[in-house]
Amino acid sequence: MPLLPTAFVTTLKPILGDEWTPFEAALNEEPVTSVRLNDKIDLSIEGDCVPWCSQGRYLAERPNFTRDPLFHAGAYYVQEASSMFVQCVVNQFVADDAVVLDMCAAPGGKSTLLSQHLCRDGLLVANEFVRQRAHILSENLQKWGNPNVIVTNNAPSDFAAFAGMFDAVLVDAPCSGEGMFRKDETAVTEWSPTNVQHCVERQRDILAAAWRCLKPDGILIYSTCTYNPHENEENVQWLCQQTDAELLQPAIDPEWQIVHTPEGYHFYPHKTRGEGLFISVLRKHDASSESPCKRRIKTPLRTLSNSPFANYLQHSEHYAHFEFAGKHYAFACRYADLLQACLKQLCVLHFGVALAEQKGRDFVPQPSLALSKVLNTEAFNRAEVDLETALRYLHCEAVCLPDAPKGFLLITYKHVALGWVKNIGNRCNNLYPAAWRIRMNVN
C-alpha cells in the first residue's frame, strides 16, 4: 500500500492512540473476501459466518466469481463484511413491511440486503444519482430477484416531493474512502483534506434531503466507509443540532469488537474482519414534518385488468399488471399509488417485475422475470445446461440446444434460472442482455 497521507495520520493517530500501530499493520494485510447469500435458492458456501449477518460468509480465498454462473444468477452477492452490519440494524429498527429509501444505493450491496429484509411485504426505492452506476444498481437488484423494488436515477433534492413518505432512509454517503485504503490504492493517492471537506458538505446536503423524506418516528441509517470524525461524528452532531434526531443504539455483541462512540459505530480492520465503516442510527420525532403529497397524480401507466401474463408469477393475485414504455410489468397492488408518484416525479429505471416486451408478433420474456423469486417456472419450457454452455450463454454467444423444444426457453444452471433464449431449431437466439454480458474470455 502507498504511504498514508500525512494529514490522515495526523487526524486519526491521536484518536486511535495505542491502537494506531496494529491498525496501520492491518492496512498492509490482504483484504478479507466475503459474500452474502440470497434466499432464492438453498446454497451452501463453505466459510465462517459473518457474526452480525446471518447470510454472510467469509471465504478462505477469493475465487474467480466471473466464472460462476450462480454469481450472475444472483444466488449470492460479493459484499464487504463490515457493510453487512446494516442487517443487524434493520432487524432491530425497521419492520419487514416498511417503505424504505436507499438514497445512494449503487452498486447495490446494501440495497439487495434491504430488499431481502423487506421481502414481499415492504417496498424499497433504491436511488443512485450517477447514471452509469444507477444501471448497475438496477442490474444487481433484478438479479437478486425481490419484486417489491423501484430503481431511480435522481439527485437527493429530487425527493422533495416525497416529504414524510418513508419509514426508513439509508444514506450510505459518498465519502473520502479511507475505509477502502487496504482494498484500493487509488483511494490512498486521491485522498486529501480538501476532498474530505468537499465530502462533508455533500453529505450534509444529502442528510438534509433524506431527513425530509422520513415520516415522524422514521429511522435514518447513516454510513460511510471512512474513519475521520469530520464525515462521521461531526455530521451526526450537525444533524442532531439541526433537527430533533434521537440517537439509537443497536444491540451488539462485545465479542464483535465494534468500537462504539456516542454518535455511532466504527469498524476497524485490526479489530473486525472487514474494511473500515462508520454507521449511525437516528430516529425522527418531529410531528410537524410535512405529510406525504396527496394530490391526485395523473397516471402514466395503463393498467391491464386481464393480463395475458398473470400465470408467469406465483401468487399473481398480489400484483397489478401495467403496460409502460412498450413493456408489461407486474407490481405489488398495495404500493401501486407510490409507484405512480415515482413515475410522475422521478426518473425510474426499473420497477417490480418486467414480464414481456412486444417485438413484432412475439411477446419476448424479460430478464427480470427469469431472475425473479416469484417466477412460476411451470409456465415455461426449461433447458438445463452445463458450466461451459452457461458461460457461453452469459458471454452472449450463440448456444445450440437441438433436443430442446422450439420457442422461448428458460436457461437454467444447477436448476437456477439465468435467462432466456429463443430456440429456432438449428440454433438459439441468445436473449441475455448485452449490457450484462461477461466481458472476460470464458474459454
Side-chain angles (χ1 to χ4, degrees):
M1 189 183 72
L3 288 175
L4 294 173
T6 301
F8 170 77
V9 176
T10 302
T11 299
L12 199 59
K13 193 171 184 178
I15 295 172
L16 290 178
D18 293 341
E19 299 277 339
W20 173 260
T21 298
F23 167 77
E24 188 176 26
L27 293 184
N28 286 288
E29 296 173 355
E30 283 295 316
V32 177
T33 299
S34 51
V35 300
R36 184 168 44 79
L37 306 178
N38 198 341
D39 60 1
K40 73 192 308 185
I41 65 168
D42 185 13
L43 178 65
S44 177
I45 291 183
E46 185 177 344
D48 295 339
C49 292
V50 175
W52 44 83
C53 179
S54 57
Q55 291 87 34
R57 299 291 183 273
Y58 291 107
L59 305 186
E61 58 184 7
R62 187 178 184 89
N64 186 342
F65 293 111
T66 303
R67 290 190 60 82
D68 183 6
L70 295 181
F71 166 69
H72 301 280
Y76 60 89
Y77 192 96
V78 183
Q79 185 175 17
E80 199 282 306
S82 299
S83 65
M84 298 182 198
F85 185 68
V86 170
Q87 186 196 61
C88 183
V89 172
V90 297
N91 283 349
Q92 296 180 54
F93 296 112
V94 180
D96 60 9
D97 62 351
V99 179
V100 178
L101 170 63
D102 188 351
M103 184 73 88
C104 313
K110 295 180 180 67
S111 284
T112 54
L113 187 154
L114 288 169
S115 76
Q116 190 147 322
H117 173 77
L118 298 169
C119 198
R120 297 183 189 177
D121 294 324
L123 175 69
L124 173 67
V125 178
N127 177 69
E128 171 57 40
F129 174 61
V130 180
R131 183 76 173 179
Q132 183 177 7
R133 286 169 55 82
H135 283 288
I136 294 170
L137 171 67
S138 177
E139 174 186 343
N140 285 329
L141 279 167
Q142 289 182 64
K143 289 179 176 179
W144 201 253
N146 286 330
N148 289 6
V149 298
I150 301 172
V151 181
T152 60
N153 173 214
N154 287 87
S157 58
D158 293 339
F159 285 84
F162 295 85
M165 183 72 73
F166 294 94
D167 299 296
V169 179
L170 170 63
V171 174
D172 183 33
C175 68
S176 61
E178 297 166 357
M180 294 293 107
F181 278 3
R182 182 165 67 171
K183 294 183 70 173
D184 183 3
E185 291 186 359
T186 303
V188 182
T189 57
E190 291 184 350
W191 186 94
S192 71
T194 301
N195 187 38
V196 169
Q197 185 55 40
H198 174 72
C199 289
V200 169
E201 294 168 2
R202 179 167 54 172
Q203 289 155 357
R204 292 186 180 184
D205 287 342
I206 296 171
L207 283 170
W211 194 255
R212 288 192 293 269
C213 291
L214 277 175
K215 296 178 180 178
D217 293 324
I219 299 296
L220 175 69
I221 305 168
Y222 174 64
S223 67
T224 72
C225 57
T226 198
Y227 305 113
N228 72 76
H230 310 302
E231 298 178 71
N232 296 328
E233 283 86 354
E234 291 176 15
N235 271 346
V236 174
Q237 292 165 5
W238 172 83
L239 185 63
C240 289
Q241 291 165 2
Q242 300 294 315
T243 69
D244 66 336
E246 174 196 1
L247 279 162
L248 302 177
Q249 297 184 6
I252 60 174
D253 190 327
E255 293 186 358
W256 298 348
Q257 297 199 69
I258 301 168
V259 176
H260 181 210
T261 70
E263 292 80 13
Y265 298 82
H266 279 281
F267 289 69
Y268 291 107
H270 67 293
K271 299 180 77 71
T272 60
R273 291 179 66 185
E275 305 309 310
L277 178 83
F278 172 83
I279 192 164
S280 184
V281 187
L282 306 99
R283 189 190 302 277
K284 180 178 185 177
H285 287 301
D286 185 3
S288 66
S289 298
E290 299 175 69
S291 298
C293 178
K294 296 187 181 299
R295 68 181 181 275
R296 187 174 182 85
I297 296 171
K298 183 179 179 182
T299 173
L301 289 177
R302 185 164 73 88
T303 306
L304 303 176
S305 56
N306 293 299
S307 171
F309 311 110
N311 70 324
Y312 283 10
L313 302 179
Q314 306 170 41
H315 310 293
S316 61
E317 68 276 8
H318 296 161
Y319 300 93
H321 289 256
F322 303 100
E323 185 177 351
F324 179 71
K327 294 182 181 179
H328 291 255
Y329 289 85
F331 191 78
C333 297
R334 65 188 298 186
Y335 296 117
D337 288 346
L338 181 52
L339 171 63
Q340 301 279 22
C342 288
L343 288 166
K344 179 70 174 178
Q345 302 287 345
L346 303 171
C347 177
V348 175
L349 301 184
H350 171 74
F351 62 89
V353 184
L355 301 171
E357 179 180 14
Q358 186 166 9
K359 292 187 175 180
R361 298 181 180 179
D362 286 335
F363 283 94
V364 180
Q366 295 299 285
S368 171
L369 174 64
L371 297 160
S372 175
K373 294 180 183 179
V374 295
L375 169 70
N376 176 19
T377 57
E378 299 303 316
F380 301 96
N381 290 319
R382 285 156 282 168
E384 174 75 6
V385 298
D386 59 16
L387 175 61
E388 180 184 354
T389 305
L391 290 174
R392 288 205 315 271
Y393 172 74
L394 295 167
H395 200 251
C396 284
E397 296 178 21
V399 294
C400 186
L401 302 168
D403 298 325
K406 291 184 179 181
F408 293 109
L409 300 175
L410 182 65
I411 299 296
T412 63
Y413 171 75
K414 294 187 176 179
H415 305 290
V416 180
L418 299 179
W420 307 98
V421 297
K422 185 178 182 182
N423 187 15
I424 57 176
N426 59 334
R427 62 180 175 83
C428 295
N429 292 334
N430 191 330
L431 301 179
Y432 195 70
W436 297 5
R437 72 189 185 280
I438 295 175
R439 288 171 170 78
M440 66 175 287
N441 187 352
V442 296
N443 296 321

